[in-house]
Amino acid sequence: LLDLCNEAEWVEGLWLHCHSGCGVNHTSICGGLNNARNRVQTCIRLAIDAGAGVIIPSATARDENELVHTDGTTVCPNVFWNMEYLKSQMSKQCPQLRIRVCDDRSGIRNTIVPPLRQYLTPAHSKATFRELVKETFAESNFSLADTSAANPTLIEYADTYIGWNYKTSGELSSIRKALFKALRFNKDLLELSTEVLRSPQLNNGAFIGVHLRGENDWPGGFGTIEDQMRLYVAQIEQIQTTISYNVTTIYVSCGDADAIQRFRDLLEPLGYVVHDKWTILADQPETLGRVEALRFDEKGIVEYKVLLDARFWLGLVMSSMSSLIAYARSVDEKDDYFETFIFPGSSKNGLDRGYPDHLSMKGNRRTKLMVVNGVDIMDSFP
């Protein structure tokens, strides 16, 4: 990242702000927590390509009852991510990059707007976004040559979701890792997650973590809850045949308590104890109250580290949360987890990936994902 930033063509007074058309002013990012996170990380990478400072956008919270919708509440990004840590890391690894947060465009009067990028539009790679910026300037009333600290210009760009192709750029094992590690979740929420993780019921990490998607925003084509439970139960039983000790504690992350109970009803007759954040914190009413007061996606961050540190973990490839956890659990390994364990034998056409063993569990000994045929975002994620 340091080499990349040293080689970039920086333009004093040029700023990039990214959004996905949400919020009252339609300049906020929204979507699920990790879709929004990807938009932030991608915006940073695009800013480096353009040689611009980056204005981290605000985020629009999701409706607690209908997760496919937003509730109109716009919050600063530090609610979800650690902006101070990001600034600290980027000051060391990319000191030329100026960072503002929460839509701070003070003192900037000139704005150019590149064409809206659609979901299936090919992602940018090295130098392509810079060329788009130059083309947009050429078609505007402003000049890139005249942009300066005294005469700044803002690039207002949407949409950055899976908008940078790390594979095409040759950055899967370098820039992608550096940016991922620099953009951490909110420190207070991770500390709350650590409190859950330290609970005696979780046996100092000797448990199987499960990410179960049973909420009302989950498309059945991504793997129904019945498919998930069937494959997860079989995999949990398989884990027992590979170890010389018993792991009978399961921790399930899911926003739907009824879905968790259905899963519990399948596992308890097999001798497993199934916990969730509610059962873990039942005897810690103060901590439980803090968790219950959080927004849906903040609760997801609380569960993130619990799943990250589980001895064994099961998720599903079509969930960006699961993909993020699988990536985080393997980020320091020499070989890319997805290229090594998930993708071999599959085929890709555009964004769609097909698996000959559709609806199966794949992965390494500690980290497994349920694979289904569908969109593969990992060239541009996390």
mmCIF file of all heavy atoms in Angstrom, residues 62-81:
data_model
loop_
_atom_site.group_PDB
_atom_site.id
_atom_site.type_symbol
_atom_site.label_atom_id
_atom_site.label_comp_id
_atom_site.label_asym_id
_atom_site.label_seq_id
_atom_site.Cartn_x
_atom_site.Cartn_y
_atom_site.Cartn_z
ATOM 1 N N ARG A 62 -30.866 0.444 8.734
ATOM 2 C CA ARG A 62 -31.957 -0.371 8.188
ATOM 3 C C ARG A 62 -33.158 -0.394 9.121
ATOM 4 O O ARG A 62 -33.031 -0.256 10.336
ATOM 5 C CB ARG A 62 -31.474 -1.803 7.943
ATOM 6 C CG ARG A 62 -30.530 -1.898 6.767
ATOM 7 C CD ARG A 62 -30.385 -3.327 6.294
ATOM 8 N NE ARG A 62 -29.468 -4.093 7.124
ATOM 9 C CZ ARG A 62 -29.238 -5.398 6.937
ATOM 10 N NH1 ARG A 62 -29.865 -6.041 5.984
ATOM 11 N NH2 ARG A 62 -28.394 -6.036 7.718
ATOM 12 N N ASP A 63 -34.323 -0.587 8.530
ATOM 13 C CA ASP A 63 -35.557 -0.726 9.294
ATOM 14 C C ASP A 63 -35.482 -2.022 10.101
ATOM 15 O O ASP A 63 -35.233 -3.090 9.552
ATOM 16 C CB ASP A 63 -36.759 -0.761 8.341
ATOM 17 C CG ASP A 63 -38.082 -0.713 9.073
ATOM 18 O OD1 ASP A 63 -38.359 -1.640 9.859
ATOM 19 O OD2 ASP A 63 -38.847 0.231 8.850
ATOM 20 N N GLU A 64 -35.702 -1.937 11.393
ATOM 21 C CA GLU A 64 -35.549 -3.098 12.273
ATOM 22 C C GLU A 64 -36.552 -4.204 11.966
ATOM 23 O O GLU A 64 -36.291 -5.381 12.221
ATOM 24 C CB GLU A 64 -35.693 -2.672 13.736
ATOM 25 C CG GLU A 64 -34.600 -1.725 14.214
ATOM 26 C CD GLU A 64 -33.240 -2.392 14.336
ATOM 27 O OE1 GLU A 64 -33.143 -3.464 14.965
ATOM 28 O OE2 GLU A 64 -32.267 -1.844 13.790
ATOM 29 N N ASN A 65 -37.699 -3.839 11.420
ATOM 30 C CA ASN A 65 -38.739 -4.836 11.150
ATOM 31 C C ASN A 65 -38.728 -5.331 9.713
ATOM 32 O O ASN A 65 -39.081 -6.475 9.440
ATOM 33 C CB ASN A 65 -40.120 -4.251 11.492
ATOM 34 C CG ASN A 65 -40.241 -3.893 12.956
ATOM 35 O OD1 ASN A 65 -39.879 -4.687 13.823
ATOM 36 N ND2 ASN A 65 -40.740 -2.696 13.243
ATOM 37 N N GLU A 66 -38.342 -4.464 8.783
ATOM 38 C CA GLU A 66 -38.259 -4.831 7.368
ATOM 39 C C GLU A 66 -36.844 -4.516 6.896
ATOM 40 O O GLU A 66 -36.563 -3.421 6.431
ATOM 41 C CB GLU A 66 -39.299 -4.051 6.552
ATOM 42 C CG GLU A 66 -40.742 -4.385 6.890
ATOM 43 C CD GLU A 66 -41.130 -5.804 6.460
ATOM 44 O OE1 GLU A 66 -40.451 -6.355 5.567
ATOM 45 O OE2 GLU A 66 -42.086 -6.345 7.030
ATOM 46 N N LEU A 67 -35.960 -5.497 6.990
ATOM 47 C CA LEU A 67 -34.539 -5.239 6.806
ATOM 48 C C LEU A 67 -34.165 -4.846 5.383
ATOM 49 O O LEU A 67 -33.072 -4.323 5.144
ATOM 50 C CB LEU A 67 -33.730 -6.470 7.236
ATOM 51 C CG LEU A 67 -33.825 -6.830 8.719
ATOM 52 C CD1 LEU A 67 -33.120 -8.143 8.999
ATOM 53 C CD2 LEU A 67 -33.255 -5.716 9.580
ATOM 54 N N VAL A 68 -35.053 -5.119 4.431
ATOM 55 C CA VAL A 68 -34.750 -4.726 3.053
ATOM 56 C C VAL A 68 -34.935 -3.225 2.858
ATOM 57 O O VAL A 68 -34.581 -2.687 1.809
ATOM 58 C CB VAL A 68 -35.622 -5.495 2.037
ATOM 59 C CG1 VAL A 68 -35.278 -6.969 2.057
ATOM 60 C CG2 VAL A 68 -37.113 -5.281 2.327
ATOM 61 N N HIS A 69 -35.485 -2.532 3.847
ATOM 62 C CA HIS A 69 -35.708 -1.099 3.761
ATOM 63 C C HIS A 69 -34.824 -0.367 4.776
ATOM 64 O O HIS A 69 -34.336 -0.949 5.741
ATOM 65 C CB HIS A 69 -37.178 -0.754 4.042
ATOM 66 C CG HIS A 69 -38.139 -1.452 3.128
ATOM 67 N ND1 HIS A 69 -38.162 -1.240 1.772
ATOM 68 C CD2 HIS A 69 -39.112 -2.366 3.382
ATOM 69 C CE1 HIS A 69 -39.111 -1.982 1.222
ATOM 70 N NE2 HIS A 69 -39.693 -2.687 2.183
ATOM 71 N N THR A 70 -34.635 0.936 4.543
ATOM 72 C CA THR A 70 -33.974 1.767 5.532
ATOM 73 C C THR A 70 -35.037 2.481 6.365
ATOM 74 O O THR A 70 -36.187 2.604 5.941
ATOM 75 C CB THR A 70 -33.061 2.818 4.869
ATOM 76 O OG1 THR A 70 -33.873 3.705 4.078
ATOM 77 C CG2 THR A 70 -32.027 2.159 3.972
ATOM 78 N N ASP A 71 -34.625 2.935 7.541
ATOM 79 C CA ASP A 71 -35.593 3.645 8.381
ATOM 80 C C ASP A 71 -35.426 5.153 8.294
ATOM 81 O O ASP A 71 -36.080 5.903 9.021
ATOM 82 C CB ASP A 71 -35.501 3.169 9.836
ATOM 83 C CG ASP A 71 -34.197 3.572 10.525
ATOM 84 O OD1 ASP A 71 -33.376 4.258 9.875
ATOM 85 O OD2 ASP A 71 -34.016 3.224 11.691
ATOM 86 N N GLY A 72 -34.542 5.605 7.412
ATOM 87 C CA GLY A 72 -34.353 7.040 7.215
ATOM 88 C C GLY A 72 -33.350 7.672 8.156
ATOM 89 O O GLY A 72 -32.988 8.830 7.996
ATOM 90 N N THR A 73 -32.887 6.903 9.165
ATOM 91 C CA THR A 73 -31.927 7.442 10.116
ATOM 92 C C THR A 73 -30.523 7.397 9.514
ATOM 93 O O THR A 73 -30.030 6.331 9.158
ATOM 94 C CB THR A 73 -31.943 6.641 11.423
ATOM 95 O OG1 THR A 73 -33.262 6.645 11.972
ATOM 96 C CG2 THR A 73 -30.974 7.242 12.437
ATOM 97 N N THR A 74 -29.900 8.548 9.404
ATOM 98 C CA THR A 74 -28.542 8.627 8.866
ATOM 99 C C THR A 74 -27.562 8.853 10.001
ATOM 100 O O THR A 74 -27.762 9.734 10.835
ATOM 101 C CB THR A 74 -28.437 9.767 7.835
ATOM 102 O OG1 THR A 74 -29.327 9.497 6.750
ATOM 103 C CG2 THR A 74 -27.027 9.875 7.280
ATOM 104 N N VAL A 75 -26.511 8.025 10.036
ATOM 105 C CA VAL A 75 -25.541 8.098 11.125
ATOM 106 C C VAL A 75 -24.134 8.257 10.548
ATOM 107 O O VAL A 75 -23.867 7.894 9.401
ATOM 108 C CB VAL A 75 -25.594 6.834 12.019
ATOM 109 C CG1 VAL A 75 -26.956 6.713 12.681
ATOM 110 C CG2 VAL A 75 -25.262 5.577 11.223
ATOM 111 N N CYS A 76 -23.244 8.807 11.345
ATOM 112 C CA CYS A 76 -21.856 8.929 10.923
ATOM 113 C C CYS A 76 -21.212 7.537 10.889
ATOM 114 O O CYS A 76 -21.612 6.646 11.648
ATOM 115 C CB CYS A 76 -21.093 9.852 11.858
ATOM 116 S SG CYS A 76 -21.499 11.599 11.608
ATOM 117 N N PRO A 77 -20.224 7.329 10.031
ATOM 118 C CA PRO A 77 -19.663 5.983 9.852
ATOM 119 C C PRO A 77 -18.997 5.419 11.095
ATOM 120 O O PRO A 77 -18.873 4.203 11.220
ATOM 121 C CB PRO A 77 -18.643 6.177 8.711
ATOM 122 C CG PRO A 77 -18.322 7.637 8.715
ATOM 123 C CD PRO A 77 -19.580 8.317 9.139
ATOM 124 N N ASN A 78 -18.589 6.284 12.029
ATOM 125 C CA ASN A 78 -17.946 5.771 13.237
ATOM 126 C C ASN A 78 -18.905 4.964 14.113
ATOM 127 O O ASN A 78 -18.474 4.274 15.031
ATOM 128 C CB ASN A 78 -17.327 6.916 14.047
ATOM 129 C CG ASN A 78 -18.338 7.960 14.447
ATOM 130 O OD1 ASN A 78 -18.917 8.635 13.594
ATOM 131 N ND2 ASN A 78 -18.561 8.106 15.742
ATOM 132 N N VAL A 79 -20.209 5.032 13.840
ATOM 133 C CA VAL A 79 -21.163 4.174 14.548
ATOM 134 C C VAL A 79 -20.844 2.704 14.258
ATOM 135 O O VAL A 79 -20.963 1.840 15.131
ATOM 136 C CB VAL A 79 -22.608 4.510 14.135
ATOM 137 C CG1 VAL A 79 -23.586 3.450 14.640
ATOM 138 C CG2 VAL A 79 -23.000 5.879 14.674
ATOM 139 N N PHE A 80 -20.427 2.412 13.038
ATOM 140 C CA PHE A 80 -20.150 1.036 12.632
ATOM 141 C C PHE A 80 -18.657 0.713 12.549
ATOM 142 O O PHE A 80 -18.254 -0.420 12.795
ATOM 143 C CB PHE A 80 -20.792 0.762 11.280
ATOM 144 C CG PHE A 80 -22.287 0.928 11.257
ATOM 145 C CD1 PHE A 80 -22.882 1.857 10.422
ATOM 146 C CD2 PHE A 80 -23.096 0.167 12.084
ATOM 147 C CE1 PHE A 80 -24.256 2.025 10.402
ATOM 148 C CE2 PHE A 80 -24.469 0.322 12.074
ATOM 149 C CZ PHE A 80 -25.065 1.255 11.230
ATOM 150 N N TRP A 81 -17.826 1.704 12.172
ATOM 151 C CA TRP A 81 -16.411 1.442 11.916
ATOM 152 C C TRP A 81 -15.517 2.363 12.733
ATOM 153 O O TRP A 81 -15.930 3.441 13.136
ATOM 154 C CB TRP A 81 -16.110 1.592 10.419
ATOM 155 C CG TRP A 81 -16.969 0.706 9.587
ATOM 156 C CD1 TRP A 81 -16.879 -0.648 9.454
ATOM 157 C CD2 TRP A 81 -18.105 1.096 8.797
ATOM 158 N NE1 TRP A 81 -17.877 -1.125 8.629
ATOM 159 C CE2 TRP A 81 -18.640 -0.078 8.204
ATOM 160 C CE3 TRP A 81 -18.709 2.322 8.514
ATOM 161 C CZ2 TRP A 81 -19.747 -0.051 7.378
ATOM 162 C CZ3 TRP A 81 -19.819 2.354 7.697
ATOM 163 C CH2 TRP A 81 -20.333 1.173 7.135
#
